[in-house]
Amino acid sequence: MPDITGNARGKIIPADKFSHDYGTRLPEGIFATTVTGEFPDDYYELTSPSDSDMILRPDADTVRMVPWATDPTAQVIHDCFTKTGEPHELAPRNVLRRVLNAYAELGLRPVVAPELEFFLVQKNTDPDFPLLPPAGRSGRPETARQSYSIDAVNEFDPILDLMYDYCDAMKLDVDTLIHESGAAQLEVNFTHANAMDLADQVFLFKRTMRESAMRHGIYATFLAKPMENEPGSAMHIHQSLLRISDGSNVFTGEHGGEDFSPLFGHYTGRPAEVRAGGNGILRAERELLPSADVRRGLPEQCALGLRQPHLRAARAAGYAGEHAGGKPVRRLGCQPLPGHRRHHWPPACSASASRAPPPRRSAAAPRNWATTCRARWARRWTGWKAARNCGRCWASASAGPMCRSSGRNTRPSSA
C-alpha cells in the first residue's frame, strides 16, 4: 500500500501463506509518519490512542508480476479498513475514492494524465555529500541544459530500455519519454485514463524506475529539488471532466462552441472568483503549496502553476477532447526549427498543471496554425541568436525577444 509520501509499505509473504480471506494487518501509524520515518508532534491526533492495526484487503485488479525479482513474485495493492470494517480515512486510495465518489454523485468522471519528472544521479552512499549527475554511455556526466535532446536521452538507453521492458511486463501504460532541462533529468508521460488506475500506475512506476536504474549502478530520485543548481522536478496532471451519461467534456462551450464553459472557470478558479472566495484549483493551491520559492530576476511565467489549452487551435486540429468512445486526448505541438527545442502545446483536455504558459498570439497574427508556429519560432530564433544561444530566451508578441536569464530586450539592431 502507498503511504502519504508515496512510498510502498507492506509485507513479503510466501505465496502458499497468502490468504484472501484472512488478509494482512499493518499499523495505522504508517500514515502519520514523515518521509524519514519520524513521528510528528500531532501523531496521536492523527491516529487512535490504541495505535490500532488496519485490516488490508487485496484489490485483485492490481495484481502484477515483479519482473526484477529472482523468483516468480507477484505484488498486489491493498485497501485499508478499520477493525469495524470502515475504509480508513487516511489511506491515500480511500481519499481518492471519496473524491471520485463525490464526482460520480454529480454525474461526472475525471480523466487525468500524469507527467512524472525525475533525476538520474550517481550512486551516493553518504547523505552528507551532494548528488551529482551520472555518466552515460559516453563516459561524461551532463553539464549543459539539454531540453528535449534525443542524444541526451540515448546516453541512458540501457536503463530506459529495461524500464520499458519492466513497464510492459507490469502493464504500466507509459507513453512519451523526454529529456527535461536539468542534467540527467527525464520526464515520463502516461496515457489519459481514470484517476484511480493511474494513481496505482504512478505508485508502481516509481519502484520500477528505481529498480531499473539500480541495476545499472545509478540511482533514480523523484525528490522535488535534489540538486541545488539544477531545476526542480514535479508531477504535472492533465485534467478533464466527462459526463458519465454521454462521455462529453463539460469544460467545452454549449453545442461545441468556441468558448470554455462556465464550469471550467469555476473548476480552475479564475482570479475574480478566487478574490471573491470562490472555489477552484487556483484557490486550493494555497493549501497544496504552503511555500513557494520564486527566484528573483525570472519572469513570472516560471512560477505558473496552471495552463489551459488553446481551444480554437485544439478544435481545428481535431483534438477537441476525449469523447464517449474513450479515445485519449492527444498532445498538440509546434514543429521546432532544426536543432532546437520542441515546444509542446498544452493538451486539449481542459486544465494542465505546468510550469510554463502557452505563447500568446497577437490579434494581428495569422490564424493559420502552421503559419503562426513558423512566425513564432522565427521570432524566437532571432532572440536566441542575439542572446548568443543562452538557451533560456523567450519571445513576447508585444515586447519582442527577451532573454530569460537577464530580463533584457535582445532585439537586434537594424544594422
Side-chain angles (χ1 to χ4, degrees):
M1 46 166 258
D3 67 2
I4 295 296
T5 64
N7 286 319
R9 309 286 181 179
K11 296 180 178 180
I12 298 176
I13 306 173
D16 59 347
K17 304 289 186 180
F18 182 79
S19 171
H20 293 271
D21 298 328
Y22 178 73
T24 307
R25 305 289 191 272
L26 282 178
E28 64 178 357
I30 288 175
F31 295 132
T33 54
T34 66
V35 69
T36 58
E38 303 295 329
F39 297 102
D41 294 336
D42 57 352
Y43 177 83
Y44 285 108
E45 296 179 17
L46 300 172
T47 63
S48 61
S50 61
D51 203 8
S52 302
D53 276 353
M54 301 178 295
I55 301 174
L56 272 60
R57 297 174 185 168
D59 184 346
D61 294 334
T62 66
V63 176
R64 289 176 169 89
M65 298 303 294
V66 182
W68 57 82
T70 304
D71 295 328
T73 304
Q75 59 185 351
V76 56
I77 301 176
H78 286 62
D79 285 314
C80 305
F81 296 86
T82 64
K83 59 184 179 181
T84 59
E86 298 294 326
H88 199 284
E89 62 179 3
L90 294 182
R93 292 184 101 233
N94 290 338
V95 174
L96 178 57
R97 191 171 282 112
R98 289 200 300 270
V99 174
L100 297 180
N101 289 340
Y103 274 115
E105 292 176 359
L106 300 175
L108 300 174
R109 176 174 65 88
V111 174
V112 300
E115 298 182 358
L116 274 76
E117 296 176 349
F118 59 93
F119 278 92
L120 297 178
V121 298
Q122 295 181 22
K123 268 194 171 182
N124 187 332
T125 57
D126 191 335
D128 290 333
F129 285 93
L131 299 177
L132 296 173
R137 62 180 183 178
S138 67
R140 296 178 56 187
E142 291 185 25
T143 57
R145 297 282 183 261
Q146 302 193 61
S147 299
Y148 299 99
S149 169
I150 296 297
D151 293 334
V153 171
N154 291 153
E155 286 285 298
F156 306 103
D157 271 351
I159 298 175
L160 301 177
D161 288 344
L162 183 60
M163 177 271 289
Y164 272 110
D165 290 341
Y166 284 168
C167 289
D168 288 343
M170 298 172 64
K171 295 184 170 66
L172 304 183
D173 200 4
V174 174
D175 190 14
T176 309
L177 182 142
I178 65 169
H179 193 290
E180 269 290 349
S181 59
Q185 185 185 29
L186 306 176
E187 178 186 273
V188 165
N189 301 342
F190 287 79
T191 306
H192 290 73
N194 70 81
M196 182 64 74
D197 181 53
L198 280 174
D200 291 337
Q201 291 192 46
V202 169
F203 167 58
L204 297 175
F205 173 78
K206 290 183 178 181
R207 295 193 67 209
T208 304
M209 189 65 243
R210 294 191 189 104
E211 289 288 339
S212 302
M214 197 173 299
R215 272 156 175 71
H216 288 84
I218 290 177
Y219 290 161
T221 175
F222 294 84
L223 286 172
K225 187 71 173 176
M227 290 181 277
E228 181 180 4
N229 297 321
E230 296 294 336
S233 293
M235 182 176 71
H236 309 146
I237 303 178
H238 306 289
Q239 304 162 50
S240 298
L241 282 181
L242 308 184
R243 293 184 180 88
I244 296 177
S245 58
D246 58 6
S248 60
N249 193 324
V250 301
F251 290 158
T252 58
E254 291 292 331
H255 309 294
E258 296 293 342
D259 297 326
F260 291 101
S261 67
L263 184 59
F264 177 78
H266 180 77
Y267 182 85
T268 56
R270 291 173 295 192
E273 297 182 8
V274 173
R275 288 193 295 269
N279 296 318
I281 295 176
L282 292 178
R283 180 175 177 82
E285 275 188 336
R286 300 178 182 180
E287 286 73 36
L288 294 174
L289 306 176
S291 62
D293 177 20
V294 180
R295 299 183 180 182
R296 295 182 179 181
L298 293 180
E300 293 182 358
Q301 289 92 330
C302 293
L304 192 75
L306 190 68
R307 290 194 302 187
Q308 70 183 40
H310 192 294
L311 186 59
R312 178 176 297 175
R315 291 184 184 282
Y319 301 140
E322 186 178 43
H323 53 67
K327 183 178 180 180
V329 179
R330 290 184 287 178
R331 179 186 295 276
L332 290 174
C334 303
Q335 293 297 330
L337 291 175
H340 287 276
R341 297 186 297 177
R342 179 185 180 90
H343 174 78
H344 280 288
W345 195 262
C349 63
S350 72
S352 168
S354 180
R355 297 173 310 177
R360 293 177 294 177
R361 180 177 64 83
S362 64
R367 293 185 178 274
N368 180 276
W369 184 236
T371 304
T372 304
C373 290
R374 287 196 296 269
R376 181 181 299 117
W377 278 106
R379 291 196 300 270
R380 291 187 175 184
W381 169 243
T382 302
W384 277 329
K385 289 183 64 177
R388 298 181 181 179
N389 290 328
C390 71
R392 306 183 67 185
C393 299
W394 59 288
S396 164
S398 58
M402 301 288 291
C403 178
R404 181 181 283 182
S405 299
S406 63
R408 295 191 299 271
N409 191 303
T410 59
R411 184 182 298 278
S413 63
S414 58

